[in-house]
Amino acid sequence: YAADNIPRVRRHRNELRPMDLVAADVRHADIYYRRPDGSLATPKMVAFLDLATNRIFARTFLLPKGEMIRREHVLMTLR
């Protein structure tokens, strides 16, 4: 079937320049650290993938209790 029905649209990234198309994600790391107050927490990571060059830019944040990743954390990582 695939030999007869090859898609006409080629999906490639040859014409992309660096930082033209970027994918982003926020993840919790699978490791624990102990905060100064003694509670356990997981580091939060903001990561970007440049689809033109396949480079990954990431930054890890150790946040206080009850705080999550906000817009300024994403902007600091992208900057």
Side-chain angles (χ1 to χ4, degrees):
Y1 177 82
D4 294 329
N5 298 312
I6 298 172
R8 294 183 190 147
V9 177
R10 293 193 139 179
R11 290 175 172 81
H12 56 79
R13 298 184 243 175
N14 296 341
E15 297 175 6
L16 287 178
R17 294 188 336 228
M19 301 300 283
D20 271 352
L21 190 57
V22 177
D25 195 12
V26 176
R27 302 288 297 178
H28 296 255
D30 291 336
I31 57 172
Y32 285 99
Y33 73 96
R34 192 170 301 275
R35 292 188 181 115
D37 66 355
S39 62
L40 292 175
T42 56
K44 280 56 168 185
M45 185 181 348
V46 178
F48 291 96
L49 170 65
D50 181 1
L51 294 171
T53 61
N54 287 330
R55 291 183 183 160
I56 295 177
F57 305 93
R59 184 169 181 180
T60 303
F61 294 93
L62 304 174
L63 301 173
K65 190 171 188 173
E67 187 175 331
M68 298 300 290
I69 294 291
R70 296 189 313 265
R71 184 176 301 141
E72 55 263 23
H73 297 118
V74 175
L75 293 174
M76 278 192 287
T77 306
L78 186 58
R79 183 182 63 187

